[in-house]
Amino acid sequence: MELTQVRLIVSDFPACFRFYRDVLGLKPQFDDDSGPYAKFEAGAAGVALADGADLASSLPGLAAAAGDRALVVLKVDDVEEYAASVVTRGATLIAEPSVMWERLRVAYLRDPEGNLIELQEWLA
C-alpha cells in the first residue's frame, strides 16, 4: 500500500486550484483550473483537489451529506481484494469498488472518527 495524496474536497475549485498553484507554488500535473480534479506535486505523495459537487454526484450521499472536507487516498494493487480484506478485519465499505474518471477503480470507507478514506487502484 502507498499513500498517494491527501485530497481536499472543495466548493470553489478554480479559486483553490489557483491558490495551490499561484500562492503556494505547487506544480499541478495538468495546468487546468476547470476541475473536477487536480493533483499537485508535493514530494512522494501529493496534495489534490476534488470538486465536492462532482464527488457527491459520482457517489450519491457520500461527500455532501457528511460535510466532508478531506480524504486520505491509499493506492493498492487490487482494490477488490484489498476492500474485501479490510471488511474481514472489521471495516465497513460505504461505496463498493467502482470506476471513477475512467482511470481509477475506487472504494470508500470511514475510520472510527468518521474520516473518509479512498482505496484506489490505477487502471492506466
Side-chain angles (χ1 to χ4, degrees), residues 22-50:
D22 302 338
V23 177
L24 295 183
L26 297 177
K27 182 180 177 193
Q29 282 181 326
F30 303 100
D31 198 11
D32 179 3
D33 70 357
S34 64
Y37 171 83
K39 183 176 179 184
F40 296 86
E41 296 175 9
V47 174
L49 305 177

Side-chain angles (χ1 to χ4, degrees), residues 21-96:
R21 182 191 61 195
D22 302 338
V23 177
L24 295 183
L26 297 177
K27 182 180 177 193
Q29 282 181 326
F30 303 100
D31 198 11
D32 179 3
D33 70 357
S34 64
Y37 171 83
K39 183 176 179 184
F40 296 86
E41 296 175 9
V47 174
L49 305 177
D51 183 284
D54 181 74
L55 186 60
S57 70
S58 299
L59 302 160
L62 186 64
D68 294 308
R69 303 302 299 162
L71 65 110
V72 174
V73 180
L74 300 173
K75 180 183 173 191
V76 297
D77 292 330
D78 182 324
V79 76
E80 298 275 351
E81 180 181 304
Y82 194 82
S85 73
V86 298
V87 167
T88 65
R89 294 193 299 267
T92 301
L93 294 181
I94 58 174
E96 295 289 329

Side-chain angles (χ1 to χ4, degrees), residues 93-108:
L93 294 181
I94 58 174
E96 295 289 329
S98 63
V99 174
M100 179 178 275
W101 304 320
E102 300 177 2
R103 63 180 185 259
L104 301 171
R105 188 150 177 78
V106 297
Y108 291 90

